[in-house]
Amino acid sequence: MKVFLLVATLATVTSFASSWIYSSTTCEHNTANLKCRNGKFIWVYLARYGRTQDDTCPNSGLHDTNCGSLHDSLMEVRLACHGHQACAIRASNDVFGDPCHGTNKYLSVHYLCLRRPPAIYVRRACEGHNIEMECPTDYVINVHYANYGRTAFHPCIHPARSDVSCHASTSTSVVQSTCEGETSCVVPATNSAFGDPCVGTYKYLTVYYVCTV
């Protein structure tokens, strides 16, 4: 096992079933940097923002060691990193929400580096911004699902986010019309593109897609 300590980030590499598992632990308010080499792609299989141990990222604050949602954390890290060759994601409440108020937290990520793109990519853009999708050479985009609206409180932090049951019914078809079969595309997360499914709520666009031959 090799261990590297850089800017409050602990990265380890271990061998498992003839594959390399990369692990990164990043203290709150710092940035996790994940990277694959030799043209390989990041596949995130486990992530947690919170705290499960006292001795990791020690701090004088309260230590709730049963803190963090695996599902929510995994989604956020996959949005930032899945299918990329390198990525950066900040370990902060602005990104993940605050799973345990008053406790100093950290982000733990476990990932593989694959020779081929992962089975599915996830992308998100806050309202007024663009989603950029791309596939490696010889692959094209196949959109599985998209939603323009809001289904959770903490993504895309904004004062106007009370409606978390917001879906634009045409989301998938709009993204498919622009991106299906393309090697890359850009889709704006705007009311002009999707309509306004929840007036007065700050929305975001989430897209799930695969790269096929």
Side-chain angles (χ1 to χ4, degrees), residues 97-119:
D98 191 346
C100 43
H101 296 281
T103 291
N104 182 256
K105 294 165 283 288
Y106 54 85
L107 173 63
S108 296
V109 181
H110 303 274
Y111 66 100
L112 299 173
C113 290
L114 305 180
R115 295 187 180 278
R116 295 188 178 187

Side-chain angles (χ1 to χ4, degrees), residues 7 17 19 62 74 86 92 101 129 136 138 141 165 173 183 185 200 205 207:
V7 194
S19 298
L62 297 174
L74 182 62
S92 72
H101 296 281
H129 297 271
D138 299 326
I141 295 168
S165 298
S173 61
T183 57
C185 70
L205 173 63
V207 179

Side-chain angles (χ1 to χ4, degrees), residues 152-174:
F153 188 71
H154 66 265
C156 296
I157 302 298
H158 191 276
R161 49 187 171 142
S162 58
D163 186 348
V164 292
S165 298
C166 176
H167 306 267
S169 60
T170 60
S171 300
T172 300
S173 61
V174 168

Side-chain angles (χ1 to χ4, degrees), residues 17-208:
S18 301
S19 298
W20 290 107
I21 296 178
Y22 295 80
S23 299
S24 170
T25 300
T26 304
C27 301
E28 188 175 0
H29 307 307
N30 289 278
T31 299
N33 292 282
L34 312 185
K35 185 176 182 179
C36 289
R37 299 180 179 180
N38 302 320
K40 294 182 180 180
F41 302 91
I42 295 169
W43 189 84
V44 182
Y45 75 92
L46 183 64
R48 180 194 291 269
Y49 176 70
R51 176 170 291 277
T52 59
Q53 298 179 2
D54 276 321
D55 57 353
T56 301
C57 296
N59 186 274
S60 59
L62 297 174
H63 281 185
D64 178 354
T65 55
N66 187 24
C67 168
S69 166
L70 288 173
H71 178 269
D72 291 344
S73 301
L74 182 62
M75 173 62 73
E76 294 302 325
V77 178
R78 282 185 169 176
L79 282 165
C81 298
H82 215 51
H84 292 288
Q85 293 182 346
C87 71
I89 184 167
R90 189 163 176 79
S92 72
N93 296 337
D94 287 345
V95 176
F96 296 95
D98 191 346
C100 43
H101 296 281
T103 291
N104 182 256
K105 294 165 283 288
Y106 54 85
L107 173 63
S108 296
V109 181
H110 303 274
Y111 66 100
L112 299 173
C113 290
L114 305 180
R115 295 187 180 278
R116 295 188 178 187
I120 192 163
Y121 293 83
V122 188
R123 297 288 183 266
R124 177 190 290 151
C126 301
E127 185 174 352
H129 297 271
N130 295 329
I131 274 186
E132 297 182 4
M133 290 177 277
E134 63 180 355
C135 288
T137 304
D138 299 326
Y139 289 82
V140 297
I141 295 168
N142 178 247
V143 179
H144 278 207
Y145 171 81
N147 183 62
Y148 177 68
R150 177 172 285 276
T151 58
F153 188 71
H154 66 265
C156 296
I157 302 298
H158 191 276
R161 49 187 171 142
S162 58
D163 186 348
V164 292
S165 298
C166 176
H167 306 267
S169 60
T170 60
S171 300
T172 300
S173 61
V174 168
V175 177
Q176 286 175 333
S177 68
T178 302
C179 299
E180 195 75 10
E182 302 292 334
T183 57
S184 64
C185 70
V186 177
V187 181
T190 62
N191 293 337
S192 59
F194 295 93
D196 192 344
C198 43
V199 177
T201 292
Y202 186 66
K203 294 165 283 290
Y204 53 84
L205 173 63
T206 304
V207 179
Y208 294 78

